[in-house]
Amino acid sequence: MVFSSLEFLFLYFAASIFIYFAVPLQLRNFVLLIVSLVFYGWGEPLYVFIMVYSIIVDYICGYFAGKYRETNKKKARAAVIASAMLNLAVLGFFKYYTFIVTNLQLIPLDFLQAIPTFADVELPIGISFYTFQTMSYTIDIYRGDAKVQKNIASFGAYVTLFPQLIAGPIVRYQDVDDQLRSRPHNIELFASGIRTFICGLSKKILLANAAGAMWDHFRALSDTNATVLGAWAGLIFYAFQIYFDFSGYSDMAIGLGKMMGFRFKENFFYPYVSKSITEFWRRWHISMGTWFREYVYIPLGGNRCAKWKMYRNIIVVWLVTGFWHGASWNYVLWGLYYCLFLLIEKAFLMKWLEKLPSFVSHIYSLVIVLFGWWLFVFEDLGAGVTFLSQMFGQGVVGFTDPGVTFDVVRNLFFVAVLCVASTPLPRKIFYKIYEKNQICRCVLSVVAVFMLVVCTAYLVDSSYNPFLYFRF
Amino acid sequence: MEEKNVDAVPAPKKKRIDGDSEADRLLELQLSLKDKSKVSNWLCSILAMAFIFIFAILFWVVPDREYTSEESGLKMFPEFTRETFLSGEFTSEFGEYMADQFPARKFFVGLKAVSETAQLKQVNNDTFIIGDFLVARNDYPNEDFLNINVSSAAKFENAAEKKGIDVVAAFAGRKMDVYDNKLPSYYGSYYSDRIWNKLDEIAAGGELSYLNLRNTLREAAKNDDGLYYDSDHHWTSHGAYLAYVEIITELGGTPYAEDDFRIETVTDDFYGTTWSAAGAKWTKGDTIEYYRFDGDEDYTMKIIDKSGEFEGLEGFTHIEEDGAKYAVCNGFYVEKFLNEKDKYASFIGGNHGITKITKNTDEERETLLVVKDSFAHSLVPFLARHYDLVLVDLRYYPASMLRYAETNDIDKVLLMYNMETLTEAAYLKSLQIGAK
């Protein structure tokens, strides 16, 4: 199930929030576990078992990691390794197995051809997110960043926590450890959560879906009636779609969390206002960046080691980051593409960028990011190259055609909205009004609920509601 | 940005630019105003939860709307079995069911149209909203279907002419073909011209000469807004009259002047197909006019009625003919449809496999076979003054029209289609049967 659906809002959410607040405090984690399993099972009934498996594995591994942490480092480490292996095995099988086998089969050796590919095994939703989360539990215990969670219901609630289950943010166990034991339930948090949720829902439905529909339209045209303007407009719409889709989803998760007393960290912080790629990655999908830094980059030695090692570490992190986004070569290239720019910035470019007028460094960043999305969106590299050449006038029917012109012109206002929504300006305005007085705050509340009604209208009359990070 | 220590990934524990500190600031602000914001927090929570709970309850309480012609294809509660559940089929169909049966669906559909219009998008659900004037948009209609349909028509015409049966093929434009002057200037007639050029090409290849009603009406549309309904894809009786003049001339007859008809307005709140798609609830309804003439009641209309749609309806009797059941009435109009959503169906009672219209007289009249889509329905009052009519809709009666013409004393054939039907599916393919 996804948040931006009628069945979530008017069936699942209505029932879950009612039950959650109806039961006494000590039962709420258990309720969370059960409703989260239902949430997951709605779309993937059988894959609930993978989730249960993940809970049991890390409950046990975490227990031993905690037990031997002080007394027997070897055994504690074995528990961590077991957890990593068992989680990555599941992730590896469902996400990467087919990719690896089909690539191996490019080598003409008989025994390789005989390996089954299981190409029709579907990827369990959110598996990349929850396997990472559960691993972080055992690692945090081992490192002493968190205490062992003896209550399996509470631990299960952490793993399955429906708000961030399928698209993050990736919540590290140490960040919610205390909250799982006790957390505040009050009207301030609840109302704040509702506002954050509606903000995310609006981003997803009003901005991401509409931008995505335009991208799909221009993408389809590029196969039959390609134009230069259409290709550029398409890619720009895709850049907006992926940002508002993903950050909207994170906002919804954070909002739902707040309603139930959880405080998750922000996952996006206006990445499109960045003035360098380094800055972009500090603002984009923050929880994933943090995860890779804490559990891959730093264990490898981080930057407190020989220079060549540090470069190696950076490259490894970005290879893994790319590959984490999907089992396809374009994601690997996408990771390396960013790695390249980060290294260049680290070596010398950053110093230059700081001296340049800010609009120049801003344009530089946006262009790099835009072509990054080009790498990201085309799993078929051949189709990607064709599309790129269309952007530069090769294989097109013309610079534009009437339909493309019309679609671009009629969306200009919408694009302006998208641009403004990508900056901190709306948030600042919200601050200003919110601080003013009680009446302003009440007006904001009514506006928020009105947006919820508008979003519902789009869900009722919609044929288009994709979800980009579903499969990562 | 005063960045000194640059890492591949966010550097730990340094709060320079950071979503958390920002979010914290916002939340701290909200929490610091705790006492002062009580009212607004309760207001926000109660309104939002009330909205969600009320509609959650209404969804289950309000009975599902059944399939009607007005909202075709509404999803009903999906089948629940172990298999449909485990395969995920149940849950995905449930989502569609929920959208189709959502309480106050029409209100929400309208609200979305308002929102899209407010964002100056000019188009909602592939429909141009130009004031009250609604036009379906389709840049790239299916050329393969066009090819099959027009070549089939060509083969049919050639075969029929060999047997001495006169055939006139008349193709009408969609609204976007005729009223391109009302569309945004940079959109214009580019896509219409494209598909009509394609039609010309196919027709020329199959040696089919057809009557181009798009050109006729497009010419007239330059200073006449009333050729098509604002809210529907069909032409009005007035638009149909202009088409009739061309068609009857082509068939070798003399058209009646428009003054020879008595124009009767039968409704002014017709909201058609384009209106439903656009969701633009604020636009005004259309007027439907009947072109009456003396003696237009003295006709007998027989509609094939397998399903018993017209049973028990006032003014209808049922008979058996050629082994099929027909509903029989007087005149061309089925006025009960004026009280329903699809008011255009009051012309000859909507789409049916075979509809026969004969004048109650002893004089010898020629019989015209009209192989058609629904654009032909508003031509009937005009054509019936000249011919007895047999109207065939190939979608419901995909038989050999050559055989039918030969065995049923048909004198002439009119193929009457609009571009939308020609590009929607291979409906005309059955015209090839027996037409080598």
Side-chain angles (χ1 to χ4, degrees):
Chain A
M1 200 182 314
V2 296
F3 299 152
S4 53
S5 67
L6 292 171
E7 56 268 36
F8 175 80
L9 286 172
F10 296 97
L11 198 64
Y12 177 83
F13 175 69
S16 303
I17 207 81
F18 181 79
I19 300 169
Y20 181 81
F21 282 100
V23 301
L25 276 179
Q26 60 269 30
L27 278 179
R28 287 189 180 168
N29 281 351
F30 179 71
V31 166
L32 256 184
L33 171 63
I34 299 302
V35 296
S36 296
L37 286 174
V38 171
F39 175 83
Y40 194 71
W42 177 262
E44 317 259 318
L46 285 177
Y47 287 159
V48 167
F49 293 105
I50 302 174
M51 185 134 257
V52 174
Y53 160 90
S54 203
I55 296 172
I56 295 171
V57 162
D58 279 281
Y59 182 76
I60 296 169
C61 291
Y63 173 78
F64 284 112
K67 187 175 175 187
Y68 293 117
R69 210 178 81 74
E70 305 279 329
T71 53
N72 188 336
K73 270 277 172 210
K74 232 181 196 167
K75 280 190 181 166
R77 185 171 294 168
V80 173
I81 291 169
S83 154
M85 302 276 274
L86 291 169
N87 279 300
L88 292 177
V90 175
L91 185 61
F93 174 75
F94 283 101
K95 192 166 175 177
Y96 300 107
Y97 177 83
T98 305
F99 173 75
I100 293 168
V101 171
T102 40
N103 273 289
L104 280 177
Q105 286 178 345
L106 294 176
I107 308 166
L109 287 174
D110 284 343
F111 77 93
L112 287 175
Q113 307 305 320
I115 308 174
T117 57
F118 300 117
D120 50 356
V121 172
E122 269 195 56
L123 185 66
I125 302 170
I127 190 168
S128 313
F129 291 92
Y130 66 75
T131 47
F132 271 43
Q133 289 199 166
T134 47
M135 271 192 280
S136 84
Y137 166 73
T138 308
I139 301 172
D140 285 352
I141 300 281
Y142 173 74
R143 289 184 181 169
D145 290 331
K147 294 181 289 269
V148 173
Q149 177 58 265
K150 294 237 170 67
N151 183 338
I152 195 161
S154 292
F155 178 65
Y158 159 69
V159 177
T160 58
L161 207 58
F162 77 86
Q164 33 78 339
L165 175 59
I166 60 179
I170 303 170
V171 177
R172 288 180 302 162
Y173 184 74
Q174 49 174 289
D175 290 335
V176 287
D177 190 6
D178 297 335
Q179 299 174 30
L180 281 168
R181 291 166 215 276
S182 85
R183 55 185 177 274
H185 294 98
N186 57 49
I187 192 69
E188 286 77 27
L189 264 181
F190 192 84
S192 173
I194 286 179
R195 287 189 292 260
T196 310
F197 179 82
I198 293 173
C199 172
L201 188 69
S202 307
K203 276 180 173 179
K204 162 73 183 145
I205 290 173
L206 304 180
L207 304 181
N209 284 359
M214 293 317 298
W215 154 244
D216 280 5
H217 174 67
F218 287 125
R219 169 74 189 88
L221 282 184
S222 79
D223 288 335
T224 51
N225 296 276
T227 57
V228 176
L229 182 65
W232 280 94
L235 193 58
I236 290 169
F237 275 118
Y238 179 72
F240 281 122
Q241 180 192 11
I242 194 163
Y243 167 57
F244 286 110
D245 194 274
F246 199 11
S247 80
Y249 213 85
S250 289
D251 286 350
M252 287 189 265
I254 293 166
L256 288 168
K258 270 197 276 192
M259 292 168 81
M260 296 182 294
F262 286 98
R263 299 280 306 277
F264 303 139
K265 294 195 166 169
E266 288 289 289
N267 209 14
F268 288 85
F269 191 56
Y270 310 108
Y272 288 165
V273 304
S274 301
K275 295 196 191 81
S276 68
I277 297 306
T278 312
E279 185 184 353
F280 175 79
W281 275 102
R282 232 177 257 131
R283 292 169 175 273
W284 179 276
H285 205 173
I286 299 163
S287 67
M288 181 203 66
T290 310
W291 202 97
F292 280 114
R293 188 188 67 222
E294 295 288 319
Y295 301 112
V296 181
Y297 183 67
I298 292 176
L300 283 172
N303 50 7
R304 290 180 198 158
C305 55
K307 203 135 202 180
W308 72 268
K309 262 194 174 171
M310 181 188 77
Y311 283 113
R312 180 206 64 182
N313 296 346
I314 292 175
I315 292 168
V316 168
V317 165
W318 284 95
L319 267 177
V320 178
T321 302
F323 208 38
W324 179 84
H325 279 83
S328 174
W329 287 114
N330 68 307
Y331 298 112
V332 177
L333 287 177
W334 180 74
L336 289 176
Y337 169 86
Y338 275 113
C339 182
L340 178 72
F341 283 100
L342 289 163
L343 290 175
I344 293 174
E345 287 187 0
K346 202 171 172 62
F348 62 91
L349 194 61
M350 200 66 187
K351 291 191 194 86
W352 298 2
L353 287 173
E354 279 163 19
K355 285 180 195 129
L356 288 169
S358 67
F359 79 92
V360 177
S361 43
H362 192 90
I363 288 169
Y364 149 82
S365 310
L366 286 179
V367 169
I368 303 297
V369 170
L370 188 67
F371 285 99
W373 293 133
W374 163 74
L375 260 177
F376 189 85
V377 72
F378 286 100
E379 288 196 4
D380 175 355
L381 292 172
V385 171
T386 308
F387 189 86
L388 186 68
S389 56
Q390 287 165 1
M391 290 173 73
F392 294 97
Q394 298 299 306
V396 293
V397 296
F399 177 75
T400 181
D401 71 19
V404 171
T405 311
F406 174 62
D407 281 325
V408 169
V409 171
R410 75 189 183 87
N411 275 294
L412 283 179
F413 178 76
F414 177 57
V415 171
V417 172
L418 290 170
C419 290
V420 172
S422 305
T423 72
L425 188 67
R427 186 175 239 168
K428 278 191 186 134
I429 294 172
F430 180 85
Y431 275 144
K432 277 257 153 60
I433 301 175
Y434 192 85
E435 275 175 318
K436 220 164 201 161
N437 57 43
Q438 185 70 284
I439 295 165
C440 286
R441 284 191 282 279
C442 287
V443 170
L444 284 178
S445 298
V446 174
V447 169
V449 177
F450 175 72
M451 294 310 286
L452 176 64
V453 178
V454 173
C455 287
T456 305
Y458 276 75
L459 289 175
V460 170
D461 186 21
S462 85
S463 44
Y464 187 86
N465 190 9
F467 175 50
L468 291 183
Y469 264 73
F470 222 11
R471 295 287 163 197
F472 296 109
Chain B
M1 219 199 36
E2 65 287 20
E3 189 51 49
K4 289 291 175 288
N5 180 8
V6 184
D7 272 327
V9 279
K13 310 256 151 49
K14 282 193 181 174
K15 297 267 176 188
R16 287 155 309 210
I17 30 155
D18 183 341
D20 284 329
S21 52
E22 270 298 309
D24 282 346
R25 231 180 86 200
L26 182 55
L27 192 64
E28 289 325 319
L29 170 72
Q30 289 169 359
L31 294 178
S32 70
L33 293 168
K34 203 171 165 170
D35 296 324
K36 290 184 193 156
S37 64
K38 268 241 140 66
V39 177
S40 67
N41 284 333
W42 278 105
L43 182 72
C44 182
S45 308
I46 289 172
L47 282 180
M49 296 320 288
F51 173 69
I52 286 172
F53 282 124
I54 288 172
F55 276 89
I57 292 166
L58 282 179
F59 173 69
W60 292 109
V61 172
V62 176
D64 289 347
R65 282 160 304 154
E66 295 281 341
Y67 172 93
T68 61
S69 60
E70 127 183 22
E71 287 167 300
S72 54
L74 282 184
K75 278 256 176 208
M76 304 306 287
F77 194 87
E79 187 194 12
F80 184 86
T81 63
R82 231 189 90 208
E83 286 74 37
T84 59
F85 178 68
L86 288 182
S87 67
E89 191 185 321
F90 171 79
T91 49
S92 75
E93 282 188 14
F94 187 86
E96 296 168 35
Y97 161 70
M98 205 158 171
D100 281 355
Q101 299 291 355
F102 203 73
R105 182 169 199 280
K106 286 180 186 167
F107 162 77
F108 286 113
V109 169
L111 181 60
K112 183 201 161 206
V114 171
S115 164
E116 289 289 284
T117 308
Q119 293 173 60
L120 311 177
K121 291 201 184 162
Q122 300 177 52
V123 172
N124 184 32
N125 296 342
D126 288 328
T127 308
F128 292 101
I129 302 176
I130 306 161
D132 286 338
F133 192 68
L134 308 169
V135 186
R137 172 185 177 185
N138 188 355
D139 293 0
Y140 297 100
N142 190 308
E143 293 183 1
D144 296 335
F145 291 140
L146 184 70
N147 196 359
I148 294 170
N149 289 331
V150 176
S151 337
S152 303
K155 282 184 190 147
F156 173 78
E157 191 206 29
N158 294 333
E161 302 273 345
K162 270 184 205 140
K163 297 188 188 229
I165 304 170
D166 246 357
V167 178
V168 170
F171 297 140
R174 301 159 295 169
K175 232 149 105 181
M176 68 174 267
D177 298 325
V178 169
Y179 277 109
D180 57 86
N181 59 338
K182 293 217 172 196
L183 302 178
S185 56
Y186 30 80
Y187 184 82
S189 66
Y190 176 81
Y191 297 103
S192 295
D193 294 343
R194 217 178 123 105
I195 197 74
W196 282 89
N197 289 339
K198 186 78 197 170
L199 194 158
D200 284 342
E201 213 175 276
I202 302 165
E207 291 176 9
L208 171 75
S209 60
Y210 72 96
L211 192 57
N212 188 326
L213 296 174
R214 179 223 180 186
N215 286 346
T216 312
L217 273 85
R218 191 178 174 212
E219 202 49 43
K222 284 177 182 158
N223 36 38
D224 191 341
D225 289 348
L227 303 178
Y228 283 66
Y229 295 108
D230 282 0
S231 73
D232 196 68
H233 67 287
H234 292 108
W235 50 27
T236 60
S237 295
H238 173 56
Y241 173 80
L242 298 185
Y244 148 75
V245 170
E246 297 294 313
I247 292 167
I248 209 72
T249 310
E250 191 74 17
L251 284 165
T254 313
Y256 288 90
E258 211 164 358
D259 299 347
D260 286 342
F261 295 89
R262 201 173 61 247
I263 297 170
E264 180 185 326
T265 301
V266 290
T267 180
D268 55 7
D269 63 340
F270 169 44
Y271 295 92
T273 52
T274 333
W275 180 84
S276 300
K281 306 290 174 202
W282 59 87
T283 57
K284 67 171 174 37
D286 271 304
T287 310
I288 292 184
E289 291 172 340
Y290 287 170
Y291 275 46
R292 312 296 301 250
F293 56 90
D294 290 339
D296 67 354
E297 298 281 331
D298 294 333
Y299 284 80
T300 304
M301 178 160 71
K302 297 177 197 160
I303 306 168
I304 199 161
D305 190 17
K306 278 185 204 149
S307 63
E309 182 190 345
F310 295 100
E311 252 162 48
L313 208 69
E314 204 192 314
F316 278 91
T317 53
H318 279 76
I319 58 158
E320 288 274 334
E321 195 172 294
D322 314 330
K325 191 165 75 171
Y326 283 85
V328 184
C329 70
N330 275 336
F332 329 115
Y333 305 107
V334 183
E335 295 188 5
K336 76 147 188 156
F337 286 107
L338 292 176
N339 303 318
E340 295 182 9
K341 162 98 179 6
D342 184 11
K343 296 183 168 48
Y344 186 78
S346 70
F347 292 101
I348 72 163
N351 290 309
H352 296 91
I354 303 181
T355 308
K356 298 175 181 172
I357 293 160
T358 45
K359 192 175 181 185
N360 306 335
T361 170
D362 295 334
E363 64 184 272
E364 263 308 292
R365 278 161 63 89
E366 284 190 317
T367 304
L368 177 69
L369 171 64
V370 185
V371 184
K372 54 84 196 176
D373 62 22
S374 55
F375 271 57
H377 298 184
S378 38
L379 282 173
V380 163
F382 307 114
L383 296 176
R385 274 184 107 161
H386 301 261
Y387 300 99
D388 281 347
L389 302 173
V390 177
L391 296 105
V392 171
D393 191 327
L394 294 173
R395 285 174 291 185
Y396 310 108
Y397 192 76
S400 165
M401 286 298 109
L402 271 181
R403 254 259 291 296
Y404 191 91
E406 283 180 313
T407 51
N408 287 278
D409 264 344
I410 300 297
D411 300 289
K412 287 174 179 171
V413 181
L414 169 66
L415 301 180
M416 176 67 241
Y417 281 95
N418 91 94
M419 182 56 88
E420 191 176 325
T421 315
L422 291 176
T423 52
E424 198 173 66
Y427 294 127
L428 277 66
K429 205 174 173 191
S430 58
L431 281 179
Q432 289 188 28
I433 305 173
K436 275 280 146 61

